[in-house]
Amino acid sequence: MSETTRSSAPRRIFIDKQSPKAFHALVQAAEAVRATASEAGLDRTAVELINLRVSQLNGCAYCLDVHTRAALRAGETPQRLGVLSAWQDTGLFTPAERAALALAEATTDAADTDAQASAYEAARQVLSEDQISAAIWVAVTINAFNRVSIMSKHPVLPPHGE
């Protein structure tokens, strides 16, 4: 079998499979971050909104697929998921969610120091320090998973039965 796909692009290494110890450490970090977020009072939908917004910014189709399904299971609405990329232009998100999303965006575009300052200022108005820290950790972790999936070219497959 050829080392290329139908589009003649070289086959990518699934780095999570190639280096399972490193990937397992990332999974363990994500589990710790999820627990930290819960302990800080960030509910599962807020965590999934962060995961989705960061994955949108990074263009990670695999993580968008995974976290859309997770958000729906957590009780998120299709309407809010549909407008998430334009969250700032809607009134559908709470002040705490808006603060967490701004922190997630500032974490993802780490070079934008003005956005960081603005996000921190807004977050301090509605989130505790534990929640601010947890939101940033969620963004850091999903950024890492995005890079794993993007560099591996993890495929998005249709749901079973379709």
Side-chain angles (χ1 to χ4, degrees), residues 61-62 64-66 68-70 72-73 155-162:
Y62 183 83
L64 284 166
D65 181 53
V66 167
T68 295
R69 287 184 277 118
L72 289 168
R73 282 191 310 272
V156 176
L157 303 173
H160 296 295
E162 285 188 21

Side-chain angles (χ1 to χ4, degrees), residues 71-87:
L72 289 168
R73 282 191 310 272
E76 191 51 80
T77 68
Q79 180 188 26
R80 285 174 23 120
L81 293 178
V83 300
L84 181 59
S85 65
W87 64 268

Side-chain angles (χ1 to χ4, degrees), residues 14-160:
F14 283 11
I15 65 170
D16 50 325
K17 306 291 187 235
Q18 188 67 34
S19 305
K21 288 181 183 175
F23 185 71
H24 181 68
L26 183 56
V27 169
Q28 286 182 311
E31 290 170 356
V33 167
R34 196 173 307 119
T36 297
S38 179
E39 291 164 6
L42 287 182
D43 67 19
R44 187 66 188 182
T45 57
V47 168
E48 292 306 335
L49 289 172
I50 293 168
N51 286 334
L52 284 165
R53 185 63 189 129
V54 169
S55 297
Q56 287 174 338
L57 294 170
N58 288 326
C60 184
Y62 183 83
C63 292
L64 284 166
D65 181 53
V66 167
H67 291 286
T68 295
R69 287 184 277 118
L72 289 168
R73 282 191 310 272
E76 191 51 80
T77 68
Q79 180 188 26
R80 285 174 23 120
L81 293 178
V83 300
L84 181 59
S85 65
W87 64 268
Q88 293 178 7
D89 298 327
T90 76
L92 297 177
F93 300 93
T94 68
E97 290 166 338
R98 296 172 74 78
L101 289 166
L103 286 170
E105 289 181 357
T107 302
T108 302
D109 185 4
D112 188 344
T113 56
D114 290 337
Q116 288 175 18
S118 177
Y120 256 98
E121 184 179 321
R124 287 191 181 281
Q125 302 302 311
V126 294
L127 299 175
S128 70
E129 289 189 356
D130 286 343
Q131 290 171 325
I132 291 170
S133 179
I136 293 169
W137 273 110
V138 171
V140 166
T141 307
I142 192 62
N143 267 292
F145 279 107
N146 286 172
R147 272 112 181 113
V148 169
S149 289
I150 290 167
M151 293 307 296
S152 298
K153 287 281 189 198
H154 287 152
V156 176
L157 303 173
H160 296 295

